[in-house]
Amino acid sequence: MFQKLAKTLCVVAALGAAGAAAPTSASARDFGATISIGNGGIELVRHRGHYRPNYGCSPRRALNKARHFGIRHARIRGVSRRAIVVAGRKRHHRAVVRFARVPGCPVIAYR
C-alpha cells in the first residue's frame, strides 16, 4: 500500500515539474506575442492586432444594441456601476432599456 502511494506521489511530482517548465510560451501568449523558432534562432514576435478582451458592457455597445432593437434617437440616460440606461423612441412612443454591465450586455428591463 505504501509503495503504491509513493509511486503516485512520484508521478504527481514529475507532472508538476513538467508543468513548471511550460510557462515561457504561455506568458508570451498573455502579452500578445509568439515565440518563433527558425533559421535565425529563437525570436519573440509581437502582434499588433485588433485583439480587445471583452471586459463588460460599455455605453457605446449598449447604444448599438438598443439601435439594433429598433430604438431610434437612442441616447445614454444614465450609467452606474451595475447598469446602463438607454432612452429613445420606438413606434412613436418613448422606450427605455436597461442593460447590465456584464459581458454581452443583457437586458435587465424594457419599458
Side-chain angles (χ1 to χ4, degrees):
M1 174 112 172
F2 179 73
Q3 290 177 348
K4 190 172 185 178
L5 177 65
K7 286 181 185 179
T8 305
L9 289 176
C10 288
V11 170
V12 169
L15 290 175
T24 55
S25 63
S27 63
R29 186 172 24 151
D30 291 340
F31 292 109
T34 305
I35 295 176
S36 163
I37 301 173
N39 292 337
I42 299 174
E43 178 182 354
L44 182 68
V45 180
R46 295 183 186 264
H47 298 285
R48 294 186 180 184
H50 296 288
Y51 172 75
R52 206 174 107 224
N54 189 7
Y55 290 119
C57 185
S58 67
R60 179 181 290 176
R61 180 157 165 83
L63 270 177
N64 289 338
K65 198 165 182 180
R67 289 182 183 132
H68 180 76
F69 288 159
I71 297 176
R72 297 180 184 200
H73 308 292
R75 68 188 192 292
I76 301 293
R77 190 171 178 191
V79 178
S80 70
R81 189 173 65 89
R82 294 180 181 232
I84 299 172
V85 180
V86 178
R89 310 281 296 178
K90 187 169 184 177
R91 297 184 182 153
H92 306 290
H93 297 285
R94 281 183 277 171
V96 179
V97 183
R98 187 178 175 115
F99 297 98
R101 296 284 307 256
V102 296
C105 291
V107 176
I108 298 173
Y110 181 81
R111 288 186 277 163

